[in-house]
Amino acid sequence: MLTGIGTFLADLRALVECESPSSDQAAVARSADLVAAIGTARLGVPPERLTVDGCSHLRWRFGDGDRQVLLLAHHDTVWPVGTLAVRPYTVEEGVVRGPGCFDMLTGLVMAVHAVAGLPDPTGVTLLVTGDEEIGSPSSVALIEEEARRSRAALVLEGSAGGGALKTARKGTSMYEVHVTGRAAHAGLEPEKGVNATLELARLALATAELARPAAGTTVTPTVVTAGTTVNTVPARGFFAVDVRAWSHDEQLRVDRELRELTPLDPGAVVEIRGGINRPPLEERASRALFDRAASLAARLGLPPVTGTAVGGASDGNYTAGAGTPTLDGLGAVGGGAHADHEHVLVGRLADRTLLLRELVAELLREAP
Ligand SMILES: [Zn+2]
């Protein structure tokens, strides 16, 4: 590292101690101020501040942005303001703890220090968003736009077990299945009603059947609600569906088959709301970058690089969905994302930052 581990940990501590839950836009704005200050100190230039729907994102662009190398990080966390009082920033026996240290403030500091260590950062764009943990509603357009002008997207989410890079992520789809029937008195004339609860029950079973375990596709009915009073044939209700799939084709299949479901009672009306949310990060999008990182690590004498596929989604899903080669999980080695035992291994900060820097340098050296 150009600046050394002391500076790295000081930057990380400052960021962990500036709480930034995605849902608190004032806190996210304060965090953006701090990221901008730290980044300006290390990189020598201030970022562009991009405020979208009240949410603060930052972008450092070196060069004209044509066929660039994109480094993607987020500065929001899942931890509400006040978490720090219970679980403060600490470094003990080579382990950093504190809210957001693993997901992904360490990765963010790595990105800044890696770019700062490049002899010439021309051709790099560093995008730091503020709403990843809530699905990136205000940054998705920005992320996709940057991805489309990039030859590679390197995502600084924390690594999987043992430091493994994330070479595939499932895509997500979210639906609501609504049924409209007809109300009637359950004692006097139930035969005149159309029972939405019964239709929802049948449709929930049929929906679960759309899963394809061999392909890793899960289709899970979750929240359900129907009816008004205990003695009324329910006129309406809905259930929610969570879908996860390794391939876009599987997302399309489930979408099509879900929309083909029909009610048993012809008097009921079924309406499907929602759709495909994040596309998958398919393994083919990461393969070349992963191979490059692995051989680079071997050449530099760094710890061996491994890769793994994970179910959870990140902004890497969006860059891969935009058709950009994407490698994810390049951030901290540690664990406990979104959990009380969140932690980062100090002993792996230097080699991971070096790997990132050299990966970027190698991509920049190639003819665009
Ligand atoms: Zn994250």
Side-chain angles (χ1 to χ4, degrees):
M1 267 182 283
L2 189 71
T3 47
I5 198 78
T7 311
F8 190 105
L9 287 174
D11 289 348
L12 178 58
R13 175 177 195 152
L15 287 171
V16 170
E17 292 185 341
C18 181
E19 293 175 292
S20 54
S22 328
S23 54
D24 183 340
Q25 291 191 333
V28 169
R30 284 194 297 275
S31 164
D33 291 342
L34 181 61
V35 175
I38 289 172
T40 303
R42 305 288 159 250
L43 300 169
V45 287
E48 300 163 76
R49 191 173 182 121
L50 309 158
T51 306
V52 185
D53 298 335
C55 185
S56 307
H57 315 298
L58 302 170
R59 178 173 64 200
W60 277 271
R61 194 192 297 293
F62 299 91
D64 60 10
D66 187 37
R67 298 284 296 146
Q68 64 190 2
V69 176
L70 177 65
L71 275 71
L72 187 56
H74 65 84
H75 68 102
D76 60 314
T77 77
V78 295
W79 299 104
V81 171
T83 305
L84 204 54
V86 187
R87 214 153 46 73
Y89 175 91
T90 58
V91 186
E92 281 164 14
E93 295 176 355
V95 178
V96 178
R97 292 177 204 280
C101 68
F102 180 71
D103 187 6
M104 64 142 64
L105 298 171
T106 295
L108 167 55
V109 178
M110 283 174 55
V112 169
H113 282 242
V115 176
L118 290 168
D120 177 5
T122 304
V124 171
T125 287
L126 168 58
L127 181 65
V128 185
T129 62
D131 61 355
E132 194 275 343
E133 296 292 0
I134 52 172
S136 313
S138 76
S139 58
V140 57
L142 194 59
I143 291 164
E144 289 175 339
E145 184 190 319
E146 291 299 335
R148 279 192 288 271
R149 55 200 296 175
S150 299
R151 63 179 107 162
L154 306 177
V155 185
L156 275 301
E157 291 290 353
S159 59
L165 303 181
K166 293 171 177 173
T167 51
R169 287 181 180 274
K170 283 186 178 180
T172 57
S173 311
M174 298 289 172
Y175 297 94
E176 286 180 5
V177 177
H178 287 256
V179 170
T180 304
R182 187 168 56 242
H185 194 295
L188 296 177
E189 44 185 11
E191 69 285 356
K192 293 202 173 154
V194 175
N195 192 320
T197 295
L198 285 177
E199 287 299 337
L200 288 166
R202 295 184 189 109
L203 289 166
L205 290 170
T207 297
E209 290 292 310
L210 302 181
R212 198 171 273 178
T217 306
T218 60
V219 180
T220 310
T222 56
V223 173
V224 61
T225 173
T228 49
T229 71
V230 294
N231 57 355
T232 304
V233 175
R236 55 180 52 84
F238 83 96
F239 63 89
V241 188
D242 176 299
V243 181
R244 311 274 168 150
W246 291 118
S247 74
H248 188 55
D249 287 348
E250 272 291 279
Q251 286 185 304
L252 292 173
R253 176 191 65 82
V254 172
D255 188 85
R256 189 180 60 247
E257 293 183 3
L258 188 62
R259 291 175 198 284
E260 285 168 359
L261 293 178
T262 50
L264 196 66
D265 187 326
V269 176
V270 178
E271 184 199 350
I272 310 289
R273 298 182 192 167
I276 293 170
N277 176 226
R278 293 202 219 215
L281 195 181
E282 298 191 36
E283 200 264 338
R284 62 185 172 179
S286 68
R287 193 176 301 132
L289 284 169
F290 174 80
D291 290 347
R292 189 189 282 271
S295 62
L296 196 53
R299 230 180 310 138
L300 295 169
L302 299 175
V305 165
T306 58
T308 191
V310 295
S314 85
D315 284 338
N317 292 63
Y318 290 130
T319 60
T324 307
T326 297
L327 189 57
D328 201 344
L330 282 159
V333 180
H338 302 194
D340 285 341
H341 64 286
E342 180 172 22
H343 66 280
V344 169
L345 303 183
V346 176
R348 299 297 309 274
L349 296 176
D351 75 81
R352 296 291 282 205
T353 306
L354 182 61
L355 177 66
L356 178 65
R357 187 188 77 190
E358 292 307 307
L359 185 56
V360 174
E362 193 173 285
L363 288 165
L364 289 176
R365 272 197 300 274
E366 286 177 1

